[in-house]
Amino acid sequence: MIGIIVVTHLEIATRMIEAAERMFGKQDKLLGLDLKSDDSLQSMTQKIAGAVTDCIHNDECRDGILILTDLFGSTPTNASLAQIAATRRPIEVLTGVNLPMLASAINNRSRLTLAELSAKALYDGQKGIRDAKSILMSRVVAQKS
Amino acid sequence: MLFRIDDRLLHGQVIEGWIKPLGIRRVVIISETLSKDPVQPELMRMVVPDGTEVHLLDVAQACERLKEQAASGGKTLVLAPSPSEALELVRAGVRLEIVNVGGLHAQNAAAQISPSLSLGASDWKTLKKILEAGVRLEAQPIPTEPPMDLSDWLAKSGTLF
């Protein structure tokens, strides 16, 4: 199984997982880590290392781990990237996590390899960002004409 | 030159809050360990806006280079992971008027000033020495929030440590 770890500022990660689990039901090996105001880069790196080790323990994440973070350049991402040097396990890190990206990762993890899943979740996350009003308006205009 | 103590170094608050809005063109990171890390130096260069230089210096190099720069102003942000680098710079004769105490997250903190400022005894002592050297210490997470002068707090909080 591919493990999924969401790492964000404050409680975005746990809340986003809560929302995703309302849609898809309770998930195995899906973990949210929140960067609190009193976390340092070091304490956050340790938290993620702990989660990675837990996932690897029992060999449950033998197919790798996909880490989804919120902001490129921020502590959640910096601490996640530190894992790549620290472990030989296959880990991918994507930034800009949103619900479409997380949904895609959950939906596709049992049928894809880690590299494929990472590419798919990235694509679906980007595709989920739309200018909703202009899509609606263009359809309304198209119907009228 | 802006000087900030922040153990998260280059992170979201610094990039979005300081570097982008203030148009910082050069970032100097003072660290004894960072340049030996296999990932972090490249990461630090990757996350800043295009055209922003990132320099990683150890304390000795920083003392040397910042002596000239401190006076010249310019859009430079200097980041140090703890108060001790700042104190070494001051002792080496780098002129710092204000030091921004942005983020310290001590694991066994004896006192908390704000969610992002928890101090252990050694940080407190070092900050006190920086203050005594005539440097103004300000707690200010982002430029749009007012800076808090730490001199009063440092004067009163000695009993906590």
Side-chain angles (χ1 to χ4, degrees), chain A residues 35-41 43 46 71-75 78 81-82 85, chain B residues 7-8 10-12 15-16 38-40 43 46-47 105 107 112 115-116:
Chain A
L35 173 78
K36 307 255 165 54
S37 302
D38 58 0
D39 271 312
S40 62
L41 175 61
S43 70
Q46 283 165 358
L71 184 71
F72 186 70
S74 68
T75 304
N78 298 347
L81 287 173
Chain B
D7 58 16
R8 290 187 189 174
L10 213 41
H11 64 109
I15 297 165
E16 303 299 330
V39 174
Q40 294 293 325
L43 178 61
M46 180 170 98
V47 298
H105 307 81
Q107 287 205 310
Q112 191 170 39
S116 54

Side-chain angles (χ1 to χ4, degrees), chain A residues 1 24 34 44 53 81-82 85 88 94 96 102-103 115 118-119 134 142-143:
Chain A
M1 186 178 220
F24 303 111
D34 305 326
M44 201 60 203
T53 312
L81 287 173
R88 282 192 191 157
L94 297 178
L102 180 58
S118 174
S134 64
Q143 266 188 5

